[in-house]
Amino acid sequence: MDLLSNKWIINLLVCCFYLGKWFSSGAGCRHTLTCVRCNSVEKKIYVHLNYKIPCVRLLNATHQIGCQSSLSGNVGVLHVLESEENLDWVLRSGPNPPYMVILEYRLFTRSIMMKLKNGSGRVAGVAVVAPNTNPAAGFSPHNTCPNENTGVYTEKYDPTMAHCNVTVWNPLGNGLSYEEFDFPIFSLKDDNETQVIRQCYYDHNHVVNGSAPQYPLCAMQLYSHMSAVTDTATCMRRNDINFSLNPDMVCDPLGDFNVWASTRPINNTAKGHKNGESVVIAAARLDSRSFFFDIAPGAESGVSGFVTLLAAAHALRNVTQEAHLNRTILYTFFQGETFDYIGSSRMVYDMEKNQFAVDLDNVHSVLEIGQVGLRPNSTLWFHSDPVSRRNNSVNEEVCVENSRKLEIKTIFSATGLNVSVEEPGFSQPLPPSSFQRFLRARPIPGVVIEDHKSAFTNRFYESMYDNGEYLNISYPPNMTPEEQLEHITDTARVSKVSKAGPPLSTFYFFLSVTQMLYSFLVQSNNSWIQQLMTSDYANHLTDRPANLYVGVAVQQSEPTYLVQHLLANLTGSTVNATQDNCKNQRMDPDDKDSKHLYYYFWVQGAAPPNSTERQGFCVRSTVRLSKALSPAFDLHQYTSTDYSTWTESRWKPITGRIFLVASHDLEMLTLGVGIGILLTSLLLTYFFSSKAEILFSSGREPATATY
Amino acid sequence: MNLERLPNEEKLSLCRKYYLGGFAFLPFLWLVNVVWFFREAFVKPAYTEQLQIKTYVKRSALGVLLWVAVLTTWITIFQHFRAQWGEVGDYLSFTIPLGIP
């Protein structure tokens, strides 16, 4: 008897131990556990949300932004908000706070969100139902003055131009992305799942004639608990404290890799100044963001610019290989520019510290392609910096570049496009651009090409609606993915004309542009991209639009390796090297030097018509990656005002579920009855054990065991 | 061990050991001493060693109270001001809570 009870206790302890372990080690394990033990009960109670995109916490030198739930998730009674007036129910009159507010996208505005934010604990969380088609009105959750404090226009540089005094670049920006919310905010897709939620609301919680709904009520629980808090200095310090029992990391710096390539090979092993080298930097930015974590299509703000640059590099390949130009073009694609110019500030820093293949003395000028997702018959604007142009030599160079306008116009009209090229007024500062970081270091001549004269024409800057649909990437219905890939969209036709002069083999040019746009804005997993990728990366391709959020520095994001491989294929050449040599960065076993100049990719290639085996080949190019991690993290200056200090918090598993809750009284009654039963059983046990000799003494010998 | 079966001299020596041991920053020894010897010191009929035991128990109790006061004050101050102290607060912490300042 005793042995048996011991065994039970041990079993129980083991169970508890495992339970604790499962729970502490995350959702995956918890899930398996629930599946084994209490599958059916859990399924009967909860409906889990499949598609949910959270808003997460980011931190910089002074602030934290984004959202978070409590450790055990925020629970609230569902309320579908129908209009702004309806907020009163949530914030004041509703009898069952806290509420989980379901918002239509059109109500996801600053005024409503700020009222909810100040809702004094009556709001448990918000779920925004994203529309299937873009809204008609503009929406930008970003700032009105992007990267206000880390560009070149500081008080010291020119007080009249600081803080977007001259031009407010993003007038539609409502700044929601930079607010701090102490409840979770999720984005849901408008589909069956959302319909289930709505149905649950209308069945149980719907208010008729202002009378309070009856229990049970439909409730939702959202988990998005963030580990980091306060600011970057705090979380980086906590990362480094590792004498505690569970040395958890709490945040990671934002960052990735810049992609760059040169028209003439530059020795990348020997860093620092290169004698006699004069480079023109042709730049574009690779990243974007939105209010929610992993949905950042950035079609106009990112894709339009870097696809144009890729196309230009492609078109210039033959010219630069044949003609001997006296300057080298350095194609650079900067990552993390949205977050205070992470990529460009790092490259300038590396150039200053002789840690890059060239230094700032080698840089002749900068040409940057910004947002150029033109509508037909519009204008390209060449922006330049009025302050550095007060210097004569800089002004001359800028004028030379600007004087090419006429040539460019000719090229446009040669391809049947009516696009004019203009310069905005002399007094207007540069729009937010990577070039500003170069100007911060020294007055380098340069222009930034944009499709807007002053404020952005982009109505959805850094929002989830800045997508393929906004760029008019549309396909006739009933097209297979393969046909869509080959279909030359209007956008491709309009926006992409290279700066260079030679007659383009127009069809192939448009085709590669349309394929690039398809890969970034529709899905990267397509037959064209697969041919151009190395086999390791080909597995990572996805069936959805690329996410241009820069992410944390520990992993390479999708746009980086896509652009890296595309650039290699579009500017490099196929060489006759074996797979083994190619992967070891050499032409043949005796080749020791070319790895300093070139990078070799063994790409998958296409399969011949009657075979499934792909025929790979070796591509040699000058494409390289360079770190795009803010110098603040190498210098441990977490309160820096010069460099980006953005970090992303780590989090516990992000989940959401809906279920029915009983009234508080019923819950208390159940608990009371439970406790009552427990106490009664204890009393009974005591009674039995004290009267055991009387109760169980029917003719048996009393136990004689001694302990 | 059963105190009942112990001769009085050994009770005293045991009580003294616990009392002296407590000075090595081990307030729990004092607490045990108080709980364990309370009956011996104050309830049992008088015997020769009882006076000494009584002294030890009283002093142990005083020590425990002192420790409780000091620790309570410190813990209150620490919990209240940890977030404000910033860096110092973090370095003083053994486990840093996640997601709150």
Side-chain angles (χ1 to χ4, degrees), chain A residues 172-222:
Chain A
L172 290 169
N174 60 24
L176 273 183
S177 288
Y178 291 87
E179 288 295 335
E180 148 78 8
F181 296 94
D182 57 2
F183 48 78
I185 302 178
F186 279 46
S187 170
L188 307 173
K189 211 161 42 179
D190 197 359
D191 60 3
N192 292 342
E193 204 168 80
T194 323
Q195 209 45 50
V196 171
I197 298 172
R198 281 209 186 94
Q199 201 52 51
C200 189
Y201 166 77
Y202 285 112
D203 289 350
H204 298 279
N205 302 6
H206 194 46
V207 187
V208 189
N209 304 328
S211 62
Q214 296 294 311
Y215 279 103
L217 294 176
C218 193
M220 187 190 250
Q221 185 169 30
L222 298 178

Side-chain angles (χ1 to χ4, degrees), chain A residues 38-48 200 217-221 657-662:
Chain A
C38 40
N39 192 353
S40 55
V41 177
E42 207 219 1
K43 267 190 181 166
K44 276 177 188 158
I45 299 176
Y46 299 112
V47 179
H48 284 267
C200 189
L217 294 176
C218 193
M220 187 190 250
Q221 185 169 30
R657 56 192 188 181
I658 55 172
F659 49 91
L660 294 179
V661 285

Side-chain angles (χ1 to χ4, degrees), chain A residues 586-622:
Chain A
R586 60 192 181 196
M587 288 294 291
D588 51 63
D590 304 326
D591 179 12
K592 296 268 186 293
D593 297 327
S594 72
K595 68 176 176 206
H596 303 308
L597 298 175
Y598 294 107
Y599 194 84
Y600 294 83
F601 279 108
W602 184 262
V603 302
Q604 287 197 113
N610 42 19
S611 160
T612 52
E613 191 81 2
R614 287 176 182 275
Q615 287 188 334
F617 56 91
C618 188
V619 172
R620 186 180 74 176
S621 68
T622 57

